[in-house]
Structures are given as C-alpha cells and as structure tokens.
Amino acid sequence: MNPARRCSALLSQLCVSSRGGATTRRPFSPGPVSAAAGTRYCHSGVGVGGGGGVKGTSSQLKPTGASTASAAQVCPMGGSSSSRLFGTLAQSLNSAPLAQPDPYPEDNPDQDLAEIDPDQLLRECEEALQRRPARPHRDLVYPSGVVPCRHKHNPSIRIMQWNILAQALGEGKDGFIRCPLDALNWEERKYLILEEILTYSPDILCLQEVDHYFDTFQPIMASLGYHGTFLAKPWSPCLDVEQNNGPDGCALFYRRSRFSLQSTAHLRLSAMMLPTNQVAIVQTLNCQVTGQKLCVAVTHLKARSGWERLRSAQGADLLQSLRSITSANVSSRQNEAVSGTIPLVVCGDFNAEPSEDVYRRFSSSTLGLNSAYKLLSCDGQTEPAYTTWKIRPSGESCSTLDYIWYTHDALSVECLLDIPTEEQIGPDRLPSYHYPSDHLSLLCDISFREEPHRLM
C-alpha cells in the first residue's frame, strides 16, 4: 500500500466525534513566503546586554524501573479508540508491534519507516476536523521589512516552539471553565495539533506537556521524516489523573534530511544543588547543508506564581550546562581550529514573564542570547503581550511565558509567525474549538550569519 493510501486508511479507522451546529472547516495556509498581501513588516533592531550567569548544577536523568513500569500500566485518555490511528500507524510501519517505550529513543537509530506524504496527511486532518470552525490566519512577519533571498548554500531553518497542553491536565486538572469539554477531546484535538505542525513544516520542533509521545507523536513524526527524543518529568502531575496516558515531558524533533545528531544531553534541572521536577533536552546537530553545528535545547520551567526564585535557579543551572555544551573548538573552512562556541537556540515554556529574574538571566547571559519574538515589536525590545491566555476558576490570565532564544551574533532571524489578536482568539480564550492548547505556537526562520573569513 502506498503512503497516501495508508494514511487515508488509518485515518478512516478513527471515529471522529461530531458536534452539532458546527460550521464547515475551511483550510488555512501559513501565509505568503514572498512579499504579498497579508504579510506584515516591522523595522526593528537587535540588542542584548552583557553580564554573566550564576553557577548551578545539572544531572543526567536516568530511567528507572519504577518509572518505566508506571508508564506501561497507565491507560490512554478517552478509552482504547483514542489512540487507534497512531497506534495502528506505528505497527503498520514496523514489522512488529511497538516495543516497550524507551525514554532515550535517540540512543537507538530510527528503524526504516515507510514515509507518509505530509500533504496527504494534512488533507486528511482537515477532513477529520471539518465540523470545527476554521482557525484564524496567522501572518509571517519579516522584521527587516524585506523578504530574504533564499540561498541554497545557507537556507533558513524553521523552528517551532509549542506547549501543546498535556491531555491529562487539560481534561483532568487545569479547569478551563470557558472551554467546552468536547473541544478537549483527544480524538479531535490531536488532529488540530498535527494540522498546525504539518501546515508550518518546521525543521526543528520543540514541545512541552507531551503525554502522548509513544502512541502519537513519535510514530507519526518518524513517518514524516523526523527523529525524536522525549524526556518525562520525574513526578508528572498527569499521573494524578485517572486513566492518564503516562507522565508528560519535553520532546524534541529534527528533520533527518536536514540534520544529523552529534550529541544529546538529558538534564534534570537543579536549584541550590537540589534536583527539581523540571527537565531539559539539549542536542547538538550537524546541518547537512552548511556543515555547521547548531545546539538546540527545549525546557519547561516550574509553573505558578510564588516560584520565581526556583525558576531563576533552574535557569541559572540550565545556562551553566549550555555554556559547557556549546564551548568547543569550531573549525573554519580551512580546517584551522579556532576558539568559539556553537550557535544556540533555546525553546521553552519558561512560566515567567519578561519582568522575572530568569528572563533577565537569559537576556544578559554571556552566551549572547536574544529573544526572537521581541523582533515583532517596532523597537525590537518588547515581547508580545501574550503567548497564553486562559480563564480558570481563579480568574483570567493573559501572559507571555514562551520564548525562542537564539545566539544573535551567530544566527539571524528572518521571519516569525505573528500572534493572533484578541478578536481572533475569542472571548472564551484558550483552549477552544480552533486552538488546541492554552499556549500559542511560536515559529521563526533562522539562518547562520556569514562568518567574517567567508566574506573575504
């Protein structure tokens, strides 16, 4: 069976729940790639302060028999049919059923998988979601005001950052009082998540609150040509929810045709020398087009107000680890060893507004990091008004908590995905029938800056 038919057949097996009175879903596009109507421009500059980080500690998180056993005993949210599509997909793409989940899948090379046509899968997602309203359009914004020329020797790298909302938390603990329960149904919500990923087709995908990694994201992303790794929280709150799908954690995917893996670090973040419940994945990738290295990290810091000092300590610990990982001898084209650092991208839900100390630590780090989404502002110095907007029993919360940090001396941001307006989000806020998470996805295209010796 060819990949398109396989995709169609598997999707047709999934019973999609219906909602009366819904409008026909209209397909949407990620916006123009060239200067055309619907593209917004903003002239802005880039700036970052100096300073150093505070020393901390980090430890490599090892799997334990207890955690593996608990993951194997839990049941999928929504019953056995909720994972039918992706469970069947994984088993059809491999010669045998899924093995016991491996907390470190990058340690084992990906098996030869029959790749699925992403355009066909996207169309099938739209068919599955036809009873839901169309998602509002989001423009691609070019901070320089000019659509950059595409260089075949240095093409841009598309990076997506997204807290996708753990299914167990959305249905069981988070209390989104204005969000209808059927909008959170995993049998449809997973199509919304997948549709957004397919629409923007990132080269690197960084996710938080992933509690359907092994039965959903790993097999489907592998069939789309990505390599993935997952790291669960040691004590995930998802496990407190009846019929959970295992612990939530961070996931990092990269396109195998674009990158090869040089190294991976699994970090359990520490605060004041003590291990905490938050983790990070750090991978050093080799770009197969430019031959350059890129270090990518994904993390999810401690949530809730009152934990600002802990988040600051976690950030200091992560920065120390990143300094160690990115410090290396970087060879020039002439193979002359020069001292330098590997360009760095850090994605995550920091659970911290720009006024918090952990934000200041990153913006003033000796790693020379800048926040990509500041470039949406006309002065290049202001974060968006929100990346999450939700209504809980305690009240309405509109905050900027999610970031894509990058080494501004080595990397250039070419475009970003705009933030939806209040009108587009709607009065009931997030999540909703057309937004699957209480956080908005962030996306930017970056490229390596030309090194001085290459300009001569």
Side-chain angles (χ1 to χ4, degrees):
M1 183 182 295
N2 65 43
R5 287 189 175 181
R6 181 187 297 109
C7 173
S8 180
L10 290 168
L11 279 158
S12 66
Q13 293 177 23
L14 184 62
C15 298
V16 180
S17 60
S18 61
R19 181 171 63 90
T23 58
T24 301
R25 182 175 178 83
R26 302 185 305 276
F28 68 101
S29 65
V33 179
S34 59
T39 305
R40 182 168 69 80
Y41 301 104
C42 179
H43 295 274
S44 57
V46 178
V48 67
V54 178
K55 290 187 68 177
T57 60
S58 63
S59 60
Q60 191 167 9
L61 186 61
K62 296 294 185 181
T64 63
S67 62
T68 303
S70 64
Q73 293 169 5
V74 295
C75 301
M77 292 290 294
S80 61
S81 65
S82 65
S83 299
R84 189 180 304 163
L85 163 65
F86 297 101
T88 306
L89 172 64
Q91 292 185 30
S92 69
L93 294 174
N94 293 277
S95 57
L98 284 176
Q100 180 70 28
D102 181 358
Y104 301 96
E106 80 286 348
D107 292 339
N108 300 315
D110 288 314
Q111 298 182 22
D112 292 331
L113 300 175
E115 292 196 5
I116 284 179
D117 177 13
D119 293 333
Q120 174 68 16
L121 184 55
L122 179 58
R123 288 191 293 270
E124 298 287 351
C125 285
E126 291 169 353
E127 290 179 13
L129 295 167
Q130 60 185 333
R131 291 183 177 271
R132 292 205 176 205
R135 190 180 332 198
H137 174 80
R138 295 173 68 180
D139 290 331
L140 289 176
V141 180
Y142 295 84
S144 67
V146 178
V147 178
C149 297
R150 301 300 175 189
H151 300 288
K152 65 178 181 179
H153 300 300
N154 187 22
S156 61
I157 299 167
R158 176 158 290 184
I159 298 172
M160 177 179 278
Q161 147 61 30
W162 199 7
N163 178 329
I164 60 172
L165 175 61
Q167 184 63 23
L169 300 184
E171 285 190 314
K173 295 194 72 172
D174 276 346
F176 302 117
I177 58 175
R178 298 281 288 274
C179 178
L181 267 181
D182 64 330
L184 295 171
N185 188 317
W186 182 243
E187 292 190 5
E188 284 190 2
R189 194 171 78 87
K190 64 184 174 185
Y191 287 111
L192 274 177
I193 297 171
L194 180 58
E195 181 191 52
E196 182 137 344
I197 294 170
L198 288 166
T199 297
Y200 298 111
S201 189
D203 299 301
I204 296 171
L205 174 64
C206 297
L207 302 177
Q208 300 86 41
E209 290 199 25
V210 180
D211 63 345
H212 274 276
Y213 178 80
F214 294 104
D215 68 340
T216 300
F217 293 101
Q218 193 279 331
I220 197 69
M221 295 302 292
S223 72
L224 291 168
Y226 291 85
H227 181 75
T229 184
F230 172 76
L231 187 57
K233 294 175 183 175
W235 311 291
S236 169
C238 292
L239 298 179
D240 296 332
V241 179
E242 187 178 359
Q243 290 191 323
N244 62 77
N245 197 63
D248 76 299
C250 295
L252 196 160
F253 297 91
Y254 63 84
R255 197 182 296 277
R256 292 194 301 266
S257 62
R258 183 69 190 271
F259 300 99
S260 60
L261 180 63
Q262 176 176 305
S263 64
T264 296
H266 296 91
L267 306 178
R268 180 173 175 181
L269 301 180
S270 294
M272 295 160 282
M273 306 297 291
L274 297 175
T276 69
N277 194 35
Q278 279 62 49
V279 298
I281 303 170
V282 186
Q283 291 191 323
T284 302
L285 307 176
N286 294 306
C287 178
Q288 301 189 69
V289 178
T290 66
Q292 294 173 274
K293 293 181 175 62
L294 179 67
C295 183
V296 181
V298 56
T299 193
H300 187 187
L301 302 187
K302 173 65 181 174
R304 305 285 187 259
S305 61
W307 295 95
E308 292 80 5
R309 292 182 64 185
L310 179 64
R311 283 192 287 271
S312 180
Q314 289 178 333
D317 183 39
L318 178 57
L319 285 168
Q320 183 188 30
S321 296
L322 293 174
R323 280 191 290 269
S324 175
I325 292 169
T326 57
S327 295
N329 288 325
V330 182
S331 298
S332 69
R333 179 178 290 181
Q334 291 79 19
N335 293 321
E336 296 175 357
V338 295
S339 178
T341 58
I342 300 170
L344 172 66
V345 173
V346 185
C347 295
D349 175 1
F350 279 56
N351 278 306
E353 291 272 18
S355 58
E356 276 200 32
D357 188 54
V358 66
Y359 182 94
R360 290 190 289 269
R361 285 190 186 277
F362 270 74
S363 62
S364 63
S365 166
T366 55
L367 288 167
L369 299 174
N370 193 33
S371 174
Y373 264 74
K374 290 198 304 185
L375 301 180
L376 280 182
S377 65
C378 288
D379 63 359
Q381 301 298 316
T382 308
E383 295 286 356
Y386 50 84
T387 61
T388 177
W389 200 341
K390 65 200 81 175
I391 302 175
R392 286 179 167 140
S394 57
E396 189 165 355
S397 174
C398 178
S399 310
T400 295
L401 305 178
D402 309 273
Y403 305 95
I404 300 176
W405 298 92
Y406 68 101
T407 308
H408 70 90
D409 284 341
L411 302 170
S412 175
V413 174
E414 296 182 354
C415 72
L416 303 108
L417 189 63
D418 207 357
I419 300 294
T421 65
E422 178 180 358
E423 182 181 11
Q424 289 175 321
I425 289 176
D428 294 332
R429 309 313 184 202
L430 308 173
S432 65
Y433 283 117
H434 48 276
Y435 290 104
S437 174
D438 56 325
H439 290 252
L440 297 167
S441 64
L442 304 184
L443 180 135
C444 69
D445 289 356
I446 65 169
S447 60
F448 294 103
R449 291 186 186 273
E450 290 290 341
E451 299 175 28
H453 69 271
R454 294 184 178 179
L455 301 177
M456 299 175 62

